[in-house]
């Protein structure tokens, strides 16, 4: 089968398409013919040797797939032909066939395309964990989203209203991205140039209850300053490259909190947590109440281009690689 392999830590261009043996069916895994693979920021960092997890070379990157079940263990709830999404973990997903553990595999509703399914798990389950478990979002609260047109941002913009948010404020860097987040239902859209003043103006000086921040960098201090009394800033990543620091007196004065969000380590401690999350999201997905935006699609063999576009912030929404 075809697979994409990182052969050197020289960035996305070091990805090579290779032929490898297909995984062999056993009594503990579900074999899935992959139709689409999600592309995420950790994939980019892995190709550069800059992620906290450092697999030995060579390795296959990618962590989330959508596809069709080829075979499943006896007694499993899955059967050949089922549409599923699943997590392989940190790597192993960029291949034509993958072996998935049952506890990280879920039925994909017919209302969602394969491409959108591959864009679903990492971002939406991360945002669900962030807002529900770490941010303790309450009914009627406001949510400010940094990097709102990206994968995490898209998930936050669309999911937050279903979790009780009364207002979603998107921070974006271009008019194209502004139009995109408006199409997702953003209550307000502000540009990166003067966003803090605009946020304070539209909230009548109160600030926001929750900030979703996958960007970090030099925006972080102003994100803290934009919090309302009792607000929470959710630290979800550093696509801005720089890891910021915070003067804790700013938190003290507003009774505010800076909260770490590490969804991967949380579910790795107990994979059954994923099922609990999925049971909350699946009804929204199946009914169409929660609409997953169609991602940007790249042919499988152009994975390097997809990662470079992600690195240089040329993408809008989530990106996926298509195989079938």
């Amino acid at each position: 089968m075809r697979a994409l392999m990182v052969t050197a830590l020289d960035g996305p261009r070091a990805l090579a398409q290779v032929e490898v043996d297909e995984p062999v069916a056993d009594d503990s895994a579900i074999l899935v013919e992959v139709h689409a693979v999600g592309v995420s920021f950790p994939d980019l960092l892995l190709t550069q040797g800059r992620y906290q997890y450092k697999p030995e070379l060579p390795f296959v990157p990618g962590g989330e797939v959508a596809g069709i079940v080829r075979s499943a263990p006896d007694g499993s709830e899955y059967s050949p032909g089922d549409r599923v999404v699943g997590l392989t973990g940190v790597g192993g997903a960029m291949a034509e066939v993958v072996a998935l553990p049952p506890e990280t595999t879920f039925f994909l509703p017919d209302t969602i395309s394969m491409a959108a399914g591959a864009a679903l798990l990492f971002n939406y389950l991360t945002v669900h964990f962030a807002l529900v478990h770490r941010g303790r979002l309450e009914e009627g609260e406001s949510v400010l989203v940094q990097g709102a047109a990206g994968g995490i941002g898209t998930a936050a913009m669309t999911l937050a209203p279903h979790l009780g948010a009364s207002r979603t404020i998107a921070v974006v860097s271009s008019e194209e991205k502004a139009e995109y987040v408006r199409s997702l239902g953003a209550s307000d859209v502000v540009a990166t140039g003067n966003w803090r003043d605009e946020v304070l103006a539209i909230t009548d000086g109160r600030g926001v209850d929750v900030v979703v921040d996958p960007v970090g960098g030099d925006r972080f201090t102003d994100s803290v300053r934009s919090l309302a009394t009792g607000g929470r800033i959710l630290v979800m990543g550093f696509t801005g490259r720089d890891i910021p620091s915070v003067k804790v007196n700013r938190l003290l004065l507003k009774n505010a909190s800076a909260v770490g969000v590490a969804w991967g380590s949380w579910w790795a401690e107990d994979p059954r947590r994923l099922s609990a999350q999925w049971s909350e999201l699946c009804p929204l997905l199946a009914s169409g109440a929660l609409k997953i935006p169609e991602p940007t699609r790249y042919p499988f063999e152009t994975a390097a281009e997809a990662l470079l576009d992600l690195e240089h912030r040329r993408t809008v929404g989530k990106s996926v690689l298509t195989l079938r």
Side-chain angles (χ1 to χ4, degrees), residues 158 177-186 189 293:
T158 51
K177 292 178 179 179
E179 288 300 317
Y180 178 69
V181 296
R182 287 189 188 103
S183 75
L184 301 180
V189 181

Side-chain angles (χ1 to χ4, degrees), residues 67-69 81-85 106-114:
I68 301 295
V69 173
D82 286 339
R83 302 171 80 247
V84 295
V85 292
F106 308 98
F107 290 110
L108 179 63
D110 292 337
T111 52
I112 301 174
S113 70
M114 285 289 185

Side-chain angles (χ1 to χ4, degrees), residues 76-301:
S76 166
E77 60 181 325
Y78 300 98
S79 303
D82 286 339
R83 302 171 80 247
V84 295
V85 292
L87 298 172
T88 61
V90 177
M94 292 187 184
E96 289 189 300
V97 180
V98 298
L100 295 175
E103 61 268 24
T104 65
T105 306
F106 308 98
F107 290 110
L108 179 63
D110 292 337
T111 52
I112 301 174
S113 70
M114 285 289 185
L120 177 59
L121 291 179
F122 269 11
N123 290 340
Y124 279 83
L125 295 186
T126 296
V127 168
H128 178 273
F129 171 63
L131 293 177
V132 174
H133 295 270
R134 304 297 292 141
R136 307 293 181 183
L137 180 66
E138 296 184 4
E139 193 75 27
E141 289 190 316
S142 57
V143 176
L144 171 73
V145 182
Q146 297 284 4
I152 287 291
T154 297
M157 296 302 302
T158 51
L159 183 56
H162 295 282
L163 299 177
S166 61
R167 188 173 207 167
T168 52
I169 305 171
V171 182
V172 295
S173 59
S174 71
E175 184 55 35
E176 176 193 8
K177 292 178 179 179
E179 288 300 317
Y180 178 69
V181 296
R182 287 189 188 103
S183 75
L184 301 180
S187 305
D188 303 274
V189 181
V190 297
T192 53
N194 194 36
W195 68 268
R196 177 173 171 257
D197 289 343
E198 291 188 52
V199 167
L200 290 176
I202 63 181
T203 60
D204 296 323
R206 178 183 180 273
V208 294
D209 297 298
V210 176
V211 175
V212 173
D213 184 14
V215 178
D218 57 7
R219 296 188 203 177
F220 189 82
T221 297
D222 277 345
S223 289
V224 173
R225 288 172 173 161
S226 72
L227 290 173
T229 299
R232 292 83 73 200
I233 181 168
L234 305 179
V235 182
M236 300 184 66
F238 312 105
T239 61
R241 298 294 189 178
D242 294 328
I243 298 177
S245 57
V246 57
K247 292 185 177 180
V248 294
N249 64 306
R250 300 189 188 280
L251 302 177
L252 182 151
L253 292 172
K254 287 191 172 183
N255 287 304
S257 304
V259 184
V261 179
W263 170 73
S265 59
W266 176 75
W267 72 258
E269 292 175 357
D270 184 356
R272 292 173 297 181
R273 290 170 172 167
L274 293 173
S275 295
Q277 285 190 284
W278 188 254
S279 67
E280 293 185 39
L281 289 182
C282 195
L284 294 172
L285 296 168
S287 68
L290 175 59
K291 299 186 185 302
I292 307 300
E294 285 296 321
T296 302
R297 305 183 190 207
Y298 294 81
F300 185 63
E301 60 273 12

